[in-house]
Each structure stands twice: as structure tokens, then as C-alpha cells.
Amino acid sequence: MTGRRGFPAGFLWGAATSAYQIEGSPLADGAGASIWQRFTHTPGLTANDDTGDIACDHYHRWREDVRLMRELGLNAYRFSIAWGRILPDGTGAVNQKGLDFYRHLVDALLESGITPMATLYHWDLPAALDDRGGWLNRDIPGWFADYAAVAFKALDDRVKFWATLNEPWVVTDGGYLHGALAPGHRNQFEAPIATHNLMRAHGAGVQAYRAVGKNQIGIVVNLEPKYPATDSPDDIEATRRTDAYMNRQYLDPVFFGSYPPEMQKELFGQAWHPFPDSDLEEARQKIDFLGVNYYTRGVMKNSPAVTVEKASRVPQPNATRTETGWEVFEQGLTDTLVWIKERYGDIPLYITENGAAFYDPPVASNGRIDDPLRIDYIQRHLRAAHTAISRGVDLRGYFAWSLLDNLEWSLGFSKRFGIVHVNFSTLERTPKASARFYTEVIRSNGESLFE
Ligand code: BGC
């Protein structure tokens, strides 16, 4: 039941993180290097040459971090498992110490009444697998399913929600097409192969789960609703193309077992492949929930010179923009959630990431950090989520990105998304005003948003 203005009973109120962004000690206790270890250790690829060597030192401070979550009143926590901590070579021998780290973390969460949601792949591919072609190797679904099975066997008695992949679009677009993210390739002919193998790996992971799992499994995608900059037919078509590229490219195979027609016809041309139907059957497995990461929208205009998309964003002059340049547009969240229901049917949804990087003032002498823009962002998006619920969307949880300021990938530590401030010299954690605000929201199951 939804309260008058509150959220459904049992709603998950969480925060999210990912392994490489917070853990630090990426090679500790026998872990194998990941593509992010290599990427950050290649000079010039990240802001300030920042690396995840220490990050938030969560690998050692996880007890403190769980205590913090409890103090903030979270009832759920989304984290990711580093594949290379469990299987240092990506396949083969299991590293018990890596499994133990996550087992202890999950035990501590459960003791604190916090429901764990574990993501199996948040971008940190074992480097040993990259040496064998990584996401371009047709064997990777099998490697992924074997790794996933080890994680399920060790943790499914404690982890209620599993996600196969985090944001396959970013893995391909950032890692294989434009190269701003690991492994840093820029190759239009590789991108479709990476995408297709990601989709097959997702399906193989779900199948492996059905063999042993007792709880729930889904996938996490980043969605960005696209709106035309003008009502010219060219801009409307550009909008449709970018929607296919960013949104439908990943959801259509998961739900329909096919790729949008735009992929070959309008986006990749000869770089797209005639993928066999049997592969798409493999990708299309029944999932228990869909995780949606939502940050912003795209207002698009036709730009034939742009690689693949042949469209570009039009900045909105009066909009508030975050430090990463993203327009604050909460209506896009409502639109996205309703669109999923209309296009793909009634699947339980979780907002698995939502948040903003804004400039934060230093910690004041009274220990406070006021981040009014982040509070405003979260409030607007939670209200927008509530609107979607009142329009019949089966939304069951919200995870703020992020619990902690952390390594924002190639932007290093220069952008802070946390509701908890991290001093990267002392590693001290200080909840920002947005964390206090969120605590109130949770305590009232969302009613305080409307006061
Ligand atoms: C990713 C996070 C990232 C966040 C902000 C999402 O694309 O899943 O790892 O830090 O956005 O950029």
C-alpha cells in the first residue's frame, strides 16, 4: 500500500557504490589486477593521474562504513563484487580471501538490518581476461557465468538481490567506442561485438543463477530519455536514433530477444553484425527486476558528423547543471519509469543509482557540510519517482549514488557524488547535510518529501 504521500510498504531505501571506486587495495590478499588497475596506472588517462590504490580504503574500513549506513537509517546497500578478487585470473582457481571479504561485509550488513544488493560486474574486468580479448572474446559469457556461479554458491544464502551487469551501454561506449574508460579502445567495429557479448554474458549469468539461486536476479541499465531540440523531422529522427543507441539497444535484447532495427540500418552500418538468433535467445532470460540508473536527459539535434549517433546534445540555457555538466531534469525520471512499463511491461523496478556531483564546501568547524544543491536534486527526483508510482509503476526501491565520495573513474577524485564526504588525505567520513536529509526521508518512508 502506498501511504497518502509515502512510498510503498517495504520500499528499499539505500545507497550504492562499486568495488573499484571505493575499496582500495586492489591487489590485496591475492586479488588479480583489473583493467581499471591498468588504466589508472597508465599516465595521463585519469584526472590528476588518480588511481584506485587507496580510494576510500573501504577494503579496511568496511565495518565503519556499515556502521555509518546503519546510523543513516539505510535499509539496503548496493555494492559490486570485484571479479578479480574472487578469480584472480578471471577463470580457474578461486581466491578464498576475496570471497571472505564480501562474506564478512554481507554478514555485517545483515546484522545491521541492511538488505544487500550485489552487482557482479561494475566495469572491473580481470586484466588476465582482457589479455584474451575481454568483452570481444566469444567465450566471455562462459567465463562470466562460472565466476557468477562461484559468487552465488558462496553468498546467495545472504544476498537477496543480484545484478549481472552495471550499465552495459557505458562498458561499450566508454570502453570500446570512445575510449574514455577502460580498456580504452576507440573502435567502431569492436563496439557491437562487446555489446553482444555483454548481452550474452548477462543471459548466461541469469541461467547460472536459475540453477542454484533462491532469490532474485536482474540487470542494471543507465537510461536517459531523449527529447528533440526542435520539431524538425531531422531532430526527431536524431532523437529516435539516440534512444535506440542508449536505451533500447540493451533493453530490447533482454526483454524481446532482438536489437532495435536502427542499430544496423542507421547507427553502425557495416560495423554491425548479423548476430545469430540463438545468441539472442541466450540473452533473453526472464529477470526478476530491472535496475535503472538515472542522472539526466538528452535534448538532441541532428548532427551527421558525429560518430555512430549522428546526433548531439543541445545544452538547455536555463537549466541547473551539475559539476559533470548534466542537466537536472527530474521529469525525465518519471517519463523513463513510465516508458519502461509501457514498452516492456510490469516488471519490478529499482532506481539503482541517482545522484549528482556538486561542489561541496570544506567541512565547517562545527563538522557540517552544507550541500543544498544535492538535497534539492534528491528531493526532486524522489518526488518524480513518487509520481511514477502514482501512475502505476511498480517501483520498489531507491539507491542514492553514492554513499561515499569516491573515484569517479577517469575524472578521478575531482567530482564528488557522495552523501557522505570523504577526506582523501585522512580518509575521514563526514555525512553531508544531504545524508541527514535522506535519513529523514527514510524515517518517514518518503512523507517528509512533501512537507
Ligand atoms: C556509474 C557509476 C558512476 C556514476 C556517476 C554511473 O554511470 O554506474 O559508477 O560513478 O554513474 O558518473
Side-chain angles (χ1 to χ4, degrees), residues 17-18 21 78 122-123 166-167 170 181 220 222 293 295 324 326 353 355 357 401-402 406-409 411 417:
T17 62
S18 90
Q21 293 181 274
R78 172 173 177 250
H122 200 126
W123 309 357
N166 179 69
E167 302 188 350
V170 176
L181 302 174
V220 170
N222 56 307
N293 294 352
Y295 289 93
T324 45
W326 301 342
E353 286 180 29
W401 183 270
S402 176
N406 58 46
L407 181 92
E408 177 53 22
W409 304 112
L411 299 176
F417 276 89

PDB file of all heavy atoms in Angstrom, residues 17-18 21 78 122-123 166-167 170 181 220 222 293 295 324 326 353 355 357 401-402 406-409 411 417, ligand 1:
ATOM      1  N   THR A  17      27.423   1.893  -4.297  1.00  0.00           N
ATOM      2  CA  THR A  17      28.854   2.113  -4.537  1.00  0.00           C
ATOM      3  C   THR A  17      29.307   1.063  -5.559  1.00  0.00           C
ATOM      4  O   THR A  17      28.529   0.198  -5.934  1.00  0.00           O
ATOM      5  CB  THR A  17      29.707   1.875  -3.259  1.00  0.00           C
ATOM      6  OG1 THR A  17      29.551   0.502  -2.859  1.00  0.00           O
ATOM      7  CG2 THR A  17      29.329   2.800  -2.132  1.00  0.00           C
ATOM      8  N   SER A  18      30.576   1.125  -5.966  1.00  0.00           N
ATOM      9  CA  SER A  18      31.130  -0.002  -6.733  1.00  0.00           C
ATOM     10  C   SER A  18      32.543  -0.284  -6.243  1.00  0.00           C
ATOM     11  O   SER A  18      33.215   0.599  -5.682  1.00  0.00           O
ATOM     12  CB  SER A  18      31.132   0.281  -8.229  1.00  0.00           C
ATOM     13  OG  SER A  18      32.342   0.907  -8.620  1.00  0.00           O
ATOM     14  N   GLN A  21      35.710   1.801  -7.237  1.00  0.00           N
ATOM     15  CA  GLN A  21      35.592   3.212  -6.867  1.00  0.00           C
ATOM     16  C   GLN A  21      35.837   3.461  -5.382  1.00  0.00           C
ATOM     17  O   GLN A  21      36.164   4.577  -4.999  1.00  0.00           O
ATOM     18  CB  GLN A  21      34.220   3.742  -7.280  1.00  0.00           C
ATOM     19  CG  GLN A  21      34.050   3.786  -8.789  1.00  0.00           C
ATOM     20  CD  GLN A  21      32.697   4.326  -9.203  1.00  0.00           C
ATOM     21  OE1 GLN A  21      31.720   3.586  -9.287  1.00  0.00           O
ATOM     22  NE2 GLN A  21      32.615   5.617  -9.468  1.00  0.00           N
ATOM     23  N   ARG A  78      23.671  -1.216  -2.132  1.00  0.00           N
ATOM     24  CA  ARG A  78      24.090  -1.828  -3.398  1.00  0.00           C
ATOM     25  C   ARG A  78      25.591  -1.641  -3.560  1.00  0.00           C
ATOM     26  O   ARG A  78      26.082  -0.509  -3.516  1.00  0.00           O
ATOM     27  CB  ARG A  78      23.332  -1.176  -4.568  1.00  0.00           C
ATOM     28  CG  ARG A  78      23.848  -1.613  -5.912  1.00  0.00           C
ATOM     29  CD  ARG A  78      22.999  -1.116  -7.084  1.00  0.00           C
ATOM     30  NE  ARG A  78      23.619  -1.532  -8.313  1.00  0.00           N
ATOM     31  CZ  ARG A  78      24.223  -0.726  -9.194  1.00  0.00           C
ATOM     32  NH1 ARG A  78      24.222   0.598  -9.007  1.00  0.00           N
ATOM     33  NH2 ARG A  78      24.804  -1.209 -10.259  1.00  0.00           N
ATOM     34  N   HIS A 122      30.802  -4.417 -12.309  1.00  0.00           N
ATOM     35  CA  HIS A 122      30.749  -2.954 -12.387  1.00  0.00           C
ATOM     36  C   HIS A 122      32.097  -2.483 -12.956  1.00  0.00           C
ATOM     37  O   HIS A 122      32.865  -1.798 -12.296  1.00  0.00           O
ATOM     38  CB  HIS A 122      30.451  -2.338 -11.019  1.00  0.00           C
ATOM     39  CG  HIS A 122      29.916  -0.936 -11.065  1.00  0.00           C
ATOM     40  ND1 HIS A 122      28.735  -0.544 -10.441  1.00  0.00           N
ATOM     41  CD2 HIS A 122      30.390   0.176 -11.658  1.00  0.00           C
ATOM     42  CE1 HIS A 122      28.535   0.746 -10.648  1.00  0.00           C
ATOM     43  NE2 HIS A 122      29.528   1.221 -11.383  1.00  0.00           N
ATOM     44  N   TRP A 123      32.389  -2.987 -14.152  1.00  0.00           N
ATOM     45  CA  TRP A 123      33.434  -2.449 -15.031  1.00  0.00           C
ATOM     46  C   TRP A 123      34.872  -2.915 -14.788  1.00  0.00           C
ATOM     47  O   TRP A 123      35.773  -2.531 -15.540  1.00  0.00           O
ATOM     48  CB  TRP A 123      33.416  -0.917 -15.041  1.00  0.00           C
ATOM     49  CG  TRP A 123      32.079  -0.307 -15.321  1.00  0.00           C
ATOM     50  CD1 TRP A 123      30.909  -0.962 -15.620  1.00  0.00           C
ATOM     51  CD2 TRP A 123      31.757   1.078 -15.345  1.00  0.00           C
ATOM     52  NE1 TRP A 123      29.885  -0.073 -15.816  1.00  0.00           N
ATOM     53  CE2 TRP A 123      30.380   1.204 -15.637  1.00  0.00           C
ATOM     54  CE3 TRP A 123      32.513   2.243 -15.138  1.00  0.00           C
ATOM     55  CZ2 TRP A 123      29.739   2.435 -15.742  1.00  0.00           C
ATOM     56  CZ3 TRP A 123      31.870   3.474 -15.233  1.00  0.00           C
ATOM     57  CH2 TRP A 123      30.502   3.563 -15.530  1.00  0.00           C
ATOM     58  N   ASN A 166      26.421  -3.859 -14.571  1.00  0.00           N
ATOM     59  CA  ASN A 166      26.092  -2.451 -14.391  1.00  0.00           C
ATOM     60  C   ASN A 166      26.329  -1.709 -15.704  1.00  0.00           C
ATOM     61  O   ASN A 166      27.459  -1.668 -16.204  1.00  0.00           O
ATOM     62  CB  ASN A 166      26.972  -1.812 -13.313  1.00  0.00           C
ATOM     63  CG  ASN A 166      26.651  -0.330 -13.129  1.00  0.00           C
ATOM     64  OD1 ASN A 166      25.585   0.018 -12.639  1.00  0.00           O
ATOM     65  ND2 ASN A 166      27.542   0.553 -13.565  1.00  0.00           N
ATOM     66  N   GLU A 167      25.278  -1.145 -16.259  1.00  0.00           N
ATOM     67  CA  GLU A 167      25.365  -0.226 -17.389  1.00  0.00           C
ATOM     68  C   GLU A 167      26.174  -0.750 -18.572  1.00  0.00           C
ATOM     69  O   GLU A 167      27.241  -0.196 -18.911  1.00  0.00           O
ATOM     70  CB  GLU A 167      25.950   1.116 -16.929  1.00  0.00           C
ATOM     71  CG  GLU A 167      25.157   1.786 -15.837  1.00  0.00           C
ATOM     72  CD  GLU A 167      25.646   3.196 -15.530  1.00  0.00           C
ATOM     73  OE1 GLU A 167      26.719   3.571 -16.035  1.00  0.00           O
ATOM     74  OE2 GLU A 167      24.950   3.926 -14.810  1.00  0.00           O
ATOM     75  N   VAL A 170      27.574   1.858 -21.019  1.00  0.00           N
ATOM     76  CA  VAL A 170      28.801   2.587 -20.683  1.00  0.00           C
ATOM     77  C   VAL A 170      30.025   1.696 -20.917  1.00  0.00           C
ATOM     78  O   VAL A 170      31.073   2.168 -21.366  1.00  0.00           O
ATOM     79  CB  VAL A 170      28.756   3.118 -19.232  1.00  0.00           C
ATOM     80  CG1 VAL A 170      30.066   3.791 -18.867  1.00  0.00           C
ATOM     81  CG2 VAL A 170      27.607   4.093 -19.054  1.00  0.00           C
ATOM     82  N   LEU A 181      37.066   5.261 -20.984  1.00  0.00           N
ATOM     83  CA  LEU A 181      37.051   4.337 -19.848  1.00  0.00           C
ATOM     84  C   LEU A 181      37.811   3.067 -20.238  1.00  0.00           C
ATOM     85  O   LEU A 181      37.975   2.765 -21.432  1.00  0.00           O
ATOM     86  CB  LEU A 181      35.598   3.984 -19.478  1.00  0.00           C
ATOM     87  CG  LEU A 181      34.678   5.163 -19.124  1.00  0.00           C
ATOM     88  CD1 LEU A 181      33.245   4.676 -18.915  1.00  0.00           C
ATOM     89  CD2 LEU A 181      35.152   5.893 -17.872  1.00  0.00           C
ATOM     90  N   VAL A 220      21.252  -4.006 -14.392  1.00  0.00           N
ATOM     91  CA  VAL A 220      21.173  -2.557 -14.155  1.00  0.00           C
ATOM     92  C   VAL A 220      21.568  -1.829 -15.434  1.00  0.00           C
ATOM     93  O   VAL A 220      22.648  -2.062 -15.988  1.00  0.00           O
ATOM     94  CB  VAL A 220      22.116  -2.143 -13.002  1.00  0.00           C
ATOM     95  CG1 VAL A 220      22.219  -0.620 -12.917  1.00  0.00           C
ATOM     96  CG2 VAL A 220      21.621  -2.721 -11.677  1.00  0.00           C
ATOM     97  N   ASN A 222      21.647   2.108 -17.512  1.00  0.00           N
ATOM     98  CA  ASN A 222      21.504   3.558 -17.369  1.00  0.00           C
ATOM     99  C   ASN A 222      20.607   4.030 -18.493  1.00  0.00           C
ATOM    100  O   ASN A 222      20.850   3.706 -19.655  1.00  0.00           O
ATOM    101  CB  ASN A 222      22.857   4.272 -17.416  1.00  0.00           C
ATOM    102  CG  ASN A 222      23.638   3.967 -18.664  1.00  0.00           C
ATOM    103  OD1 ASN A 222      23.859   2.808 -18.992  1.00  0.00           O
ATOM    104  ND2 ASN A 222      24.046   5.000 -19.383  1.00  0.00           N
ATOM    105  N   ASN A 293      19.526   3.208 -13.578  1.00  0.00           N
ATOM    106  CA  ASN A 293      20.360   4.321 -13.128  1.00  0.00           C
ATOM    107  C   ASN A 293      19.919   5.550 -13.907  1.00  0.00           C
ATOM    108  O   ASN A 293      19.937   5.544 -15.142  1.00  0.00           O
ATOM    109  CB  ASN A 293      21.843   4.048 -13.394  1.00  0.00           C
ATOM    110  CG  ASN A 293      22.364   2.888 -12.557  1.00  0.00           C
ATOM    111  OD1 ASN A 293      21.676   2.382 -11.671  1.00  0.00           O
ATOM    112  ND2 ASN A 293      23.594   2.474 -12.833  1.00  0.00           N
ATOM    113  N   TYR A 295      20.310   9.776 -14.280  1.00  0.00           N
ATOM    114  CA  TYR A 295      21.003  11.012 -13.905  1.00  0.00           C
ATOM    115  C   TYR A 295      20.457  12.246 -14.611  1.00  0.00           C
ATOM    116  O   TYR A 295      20.330  13.302 -14.027  1.00  0.00           O
ATOM    117  CB  TYR A 295      22.504  10.895 -14.204  1.00  0.00           C
ATOM    118  CG  TYR A 295      23.203   9.953 -13.255  1.00  0.00           C
ATOM    119  CD1 TYR A 295      23.371   8.615 -13.573  1.00  0.00           C
ATOM    120  CD2 TYR A 295      23.653  10.404 -12.024  1.00  0.00           C
ATOM    121  CE1 TYR A 295      23.993   7.743 -12.676  1.00  0.00           C
ATOM    122  CE2 TYR A 295      24.274   9.539 -11.124  1.00  0.00           C
ATOM    123  CZ  TYR A 295      24.438   8.209 -11.458  1.00  0.00           C
ATOM    124  OH  TYR A 295      25.031   7.362 -10.568  1.00  0.00           O
ATOM    125  N   THR A 324      29.278  17.654 -13.382  1.00  0.00           N
ATOM    126  CA  THR A 324      29.658  16.870 -14.556  1.00  0.00           C
ATOM    127  C   THR A 324      28.949  17.413 -15.802  1.00  0.00           C
ATOM    128  O   THR A 324      29.005  16.787 -16.864  1.00  0.00           O
ATOM    129  CB  THR A 324      29.322  15.368 -14.356  1.00  0.00           C
ATOM    130  OG1 THR A 324      28.023  15.251 -13.800  1.00  0.00           O
ATOM    131  CG2 THR A 324      30.325  14.697 -13.432  1.00  0.00           C
ATOM    132  N   TRP A 326      25.720  17.792 -16.288  1.00  0.00           N
ATOM    133  CA  TRP A 326      24.447  17.139 -16.597  1.00  0.00           C
ATOM    134  C   TRP A 326      23.271  17.994 -16.133  1.00  0.00           C
ATOM    135  O   TRP A 326      23.229  18.445 -14.983  1.00  0.00           O
ATOM    136  CB  TRP A 326      24.373  15.761 -15.924  1.00  0.00           C
ATOM    137  CG  TRP A 326      25.478  14.834 -16.354  1.00  0.00           C
ATOM    138  CD1 TRP A 326      26.273  14.964 -17.464  1.00  0.00           C
ATOM    139  CD2 TRP A 326      25.939  13.665 -15.674  1.00  0.00           C
ATOM    140  NE1 TRP A 326      27.179  13.925 -17.515  1.00  0.00           N
ATOM    141  CE2 TRP A 326      26.995  13.115 -16.438  1.00  0.00           C
ATOM    142  CE3 TRP A 326      25.547  13.008 -14.490  1.00  0.00           C
ATOM    143  CZ2 TRP A 326      27.670  11.950 -16.056  1.00  0.00           C
ATOM    144  CZ3 TRP A 326      26.220  11.852 -14.123  1.00  0.00           C
ATOM    145  CH2 TRP A 326      27.269  11.331 -14.902  1.00  0.00           C
ATOM    146  N   GLU A 353      20.676   3.786  -9.107  1.00  0.00           N
ATOM    147  CA  GLU A 353      21.577   4.926  -8.920  1.00  0.00           C
ATOM    148  C   GLU A 353      20.822   6.197  -9.294  1.00  0.00           C
ATOM    149  O   GLU A 353      20.121   6.229 -10.308  1.00  0.00           O
ATOM    150  CB  GLU A 353      22.817   4.868  -9.833  1.00  0.00           C
ATOM    151  CG  GLU A 353      23.842   3.851  -9.433  1.00  0.00           C
ATOM    152  CD  GLU A 353      25.051   3.825 -10.373  1.00  0.00           C
ATOM    153  OE1 GLU A 353      25.397   4.869 -10.971  1.00  0.00           O
ATOM    154  OE2 GLU A 353      25.629   2.736 -10.508  1.00  0.00           O
ATOM    155  N   GLY A 355      21.830  10.574  -8.446  1.00  0.00           N
ATOM    156  CA  GLY A 355      22.573  11.497  -7.597  1.00  0.00           C
ATOM    157  C   GLY A 355      23.317  12.509  -8.442  1.00  0.00           C
ATOM    158  O   GLY A 355      23.172  12.538  -9.662  1.00  0.00           O
ATOM    159  N   ALA A 357      27.023  15.206  -8.749  1.00  0.00           N
ATOM    160  CA  ALA A 357      28.263  15.825  -8.278  1.00  0.00           C
ATOM    161  C   ALA A 357      28.022  17.330  -8.233  1.00  0.00           C
ATOM    162  O   ALA A 357      27.619  17.920  -9.232  1.00  0.00           O
ATOM    163  CB  ALA A 357      29.397  15.507  -9.247  1.00  0.00           C
ATOM    164  N   TRP A 401      23.228   7.512  -5.423  1.00  0.00           N
ATOM    165  CA  TRP A 401      24.629   7.424  -5.826  1.00  0.00           C
ATOM    166  C   TRP A 401      25.296   8.699  -5.370  1.00  0.00           C
ATOM    167  O   TRP A 401      24.928   9.764  -5.857  1.00  0.00           O
ATOM    168  CB  TRP A 401      24.800   7.273  -7.348  1.00  0.00           C
ATOM    169  CG  TRP A 401      26.265   7.112  -7.666  1.00  0.00           C
ATOM    170  CD1 TRP A 401      27.163   8.106  -7.942  1.00  0.00           C
ATOM    171  CD2 TRP A 401      27.007   5.888  -7.652  1.00  0.00           C
ATOM    172  NE1 TRP A 401      28.419   7.572  -8.110  1.00  0.00           N
ATOM    173  CE2 TRP A 401      28.355   6.217  -7.935  1.00  0.00           C
ATOM    174  CE3 TRP A 401      26.679   4.541  -7.418  1.00  0.00           C
ATOM    175  CZ2 TRP A 401      29.367   5.256  -7.998  1.00  0.00           C
ATOM    176  CZ3 TRP A 401      27.678   3.604  -7.491  1.00  0.00           C
ATOM    177  CH2 TRP A 401      29.012   3.964  -7.780  1.00  0.00           C
ATOM    178  N   SER A 402      26.184   8.660  -4.442  1.00  0.00           N
ATOM    179  CA  SER A 402      26.746   7.453  -3.902  1.00  0.00           C
ATOM    180  C   SER A 402      26.773   7.556  -2.394  1.00  0.00           C
ATOM    181  O   SER A 402      26.635   8.646  -1.838  1.00  0.00           O
ATOM    182  CB  SER A 402      28.157   7.280  -4.475  1.00  0.00           C
ATOM    183  OG  SER A 402      28.813   6.156  -3.927  1.00  0.00           O
ATOM    184  N   ASN A 406      33.943   9.252  -4.103  1.00  0.00           N
ATOM    185  CA  ASN A 406      34.822   8.139  -4.494  1.00  0.00           C
ATOM    186  C   ASN A 406      35.537   8.445  -5.804  1.00  0.00           C
ATOM    187  O   ASN A 406      35.476   9.562  -6.315  1.00  0.00           O
ATOM    188  CB  ASN A 406      33.998   6.843  -4.574  1.00  0.00           C
ATOM    189  CG  ASN A 406      32.854   6.942  -5.557  1.00  0.00           C
ATOM    190  OD1 ASN A 406      33.027   7.424  -6.674  1.00  0.00           O
ATOM    191  ND2 ASN A 406      31.668   6.491  -5.147  1.00  0.00           N
ATOM    192  N   LEU A 407      36.205   7.430  -6.347  1.00  0.00           N
ATOM    193  CA  LEU A 407      36.948   7.615  -7.591  1.00  0.00           C
ATOM    194  C   LEU A 407      35.960   7.644  -8.758  1.00  0.00           C
ATOM    195  O   LEU A 407      35.389   6.605  -9.099  1.00  0.00           O
ATOM    196  CB  LEU A 407      37.945   6.461  -7.797  1.00  0.00           C
ATOM    197  CG  LEU A 407      38.764   6.642  -9.078  1.00  0.00           C
ATOM    198  CD1 LEU A 407      40.060   7.387  -8.805  1.00  0.00           C
ATOM    199  CD2 LEU A 407      39.065   5.310  -9.735  1.00  0.00           C
ATOM    200  N   GLU A 408      35.760   8.833  -9.309  1.00  0.00           N
ATOM    201  CA  GLU A 408      34.795   8.965 -10.402  1.00  0.00           C
ATOM    202  C   GLU A 408      35.496   8.597 -11.728  1.00  0.00           C
ATOM    203  O   GLU A 408      35.632   9.392 -12.637  1.00  0.00           O
ATOM    204  CB  GLU A 408      34.192  10.377 -10.389  1.00  0.00           C
ATOM    205  CG  GLU A 408      33.214  10.715 -11.488  1.00  0.00           C
ATOM    206  CD  GLU A 408      32.042   9.750 -11.665  1.00  0.00           C
ATOM    207  OE1 GLU A 408      31.684   9.011 -10.731  1.00  0.00           O
ATOM    208  OE2 GLU A 408      31.493   9.737 -12.776  1.00  0.00           O
ATOM    209  N   TRP A 409      35.969   7.366 -11.783  1.00  0.00           N
ATOM    210  CA  TRP A 409      36.572   6.786 -12.983  1.00  0.00           C
ATOM    211  C   TRP A 409      37.628   7.710 -13.591  1.00  0.00           C
ATOM    212  O   TRP A 409      38.499   8.168 -12.867  1.00  0.00           O
ATOM    213  CB  TRP A 409      35.457   6.398 -13.976  1.00  0.00           C
ATOM    214  CG  TRP A 409      34.461   5.477 -13.342  1.00  0.00           C
ATOM    215  CD1 TRP A 409      33.151   5.741 -13.029  1.00  0.00           C
ATOM    216  CD2 TRP A 409      34.684   4.114 -12.898  1.00  0.00           C
ATOM    217  NE1 TRP A 409      32.561   4.649 -12.430  1.00  0.00           N
ATOM    218  CE2 TRP A 409      33.467   3.639 -12.339  1.00  0.00           C
ATOM    219  CE3 TRP A 409      35.784   3.244 -12.906  1.00  0.00           C
ATOM    220  CZ2 TRP A 409      33.338   2.342 -11.808  1.00  0.00           C
ATOM    221  CZ3 TRP A 409      35.657   1.960 -12.389  1.00  0.00           C
ATOM    222  CH2 TRP A 409      34.442   1.524 -11.857  1.00  0.00           C
ATOM    223  N   LEU A 411      37.576  10.693 -14.203  1.00  0.00           N
ATOM    224  CA  LEU A 411      37.592  12.031 -13.593  1.00  0.00           C
ATOM    225  C   LEU A 411      38.277  12.008 -12.221  1.00  0.00           C
ATOM    226  O   LEU A 411      38.351  13.031 -11.535  1.00  0.00           O
ATOM    227  CB  LEU A 411      36.167  12.587 -13.472  1.00  0.00           C
ATOM    228  CG  LEU A 411      35.423  12.771 -14.805  1.00  0.00           C
ATOM    229  CD1 LEU A 411      33.991  13.219 -14.568  1.00  0.00           C
ATOM    230  CD2 LEU A 411      36.152  13.781 -15.689  1.00  0.00           C
ATOM    231  N   PHE A 417      30.267  12.758  -5.622  1.00  0.00           N
ATOM    232  CA  PHE A 417      28.859  12.345  -5.703  1.00  0.00           C
ATOM    233  C   PHE A 417      28.297  11.896  -4.351  1.00  0.00           C
ATOM    234  O   PHE A 417      27.125  11.555  -4.245  1.00  0.00           O
ATOM    235  CB  PHE A 417      28.710  11.155  -6.665  1.00  0.00           C
ATOM    236  CG  PHE A 417      28.586  11.502  -8.123  1.00  0.00           C
ATOM    237  CD1 PHE A 417      29.715  11.642  -8.932  1.00  0.00           C
ATOM    238  CD2 PHE A 417      27.331  11.669  -8.719  1.00  0.00           C
ATOM    239  CE1 PHE A 417      29.596  11.928 -10.292  1.00  0.00           C
ATOM    240  CE2 PHE A 417      27.211  11.960 -10.072  1.00  0.00           C
ATOM    241  CZ  PHE A 417      28.338  12.094 -10.863  1.00  0.00           C
TER     242      PHE A 417
HETATM  243  C1  BGC B   1      28.117   4.540 -12.770  1.00  0.00           C
HETATM  244  C2  BGC B   1      28.919   4.954 -11.565  1.00  0.00           C
HETATM  245  C3  BGC B   1      29.380   6.397 -11.736  1.00  0.00           C
HETATM  246  C4  BGC B   1      28.152   7.278 -11.840  1.00  0.00           C
HETATM  247  C5  BGC B   1      28.436   8.761 -11.976  1.00  0.00           C
HETATM  248  C6  BGC B   1      27.203   5.602 -13.317  1.00  0.00           C
HETATM  249  O1  BGC B   1      27.367   5.655 -14.704  1.00  0.00           O
HETATM  250  O2  BGC B   1      27.471   3.323 -12.555  1.00  0.00           O
HETATM  251  O3  BGC B   1      29.964   4.063 -11.376  1.00  0.00           O
HETATM  252  O4  BGC B   1      30.226   6.818 -10.722  1.00  0.00           O
HETATM  253  O5  BGC B   1      27.390   6.899 -12.952  1.00  0.00           O
HETATM  254  O6  BGC B   1      29.101   9.036 -13.152  1.00  0.00           O
END
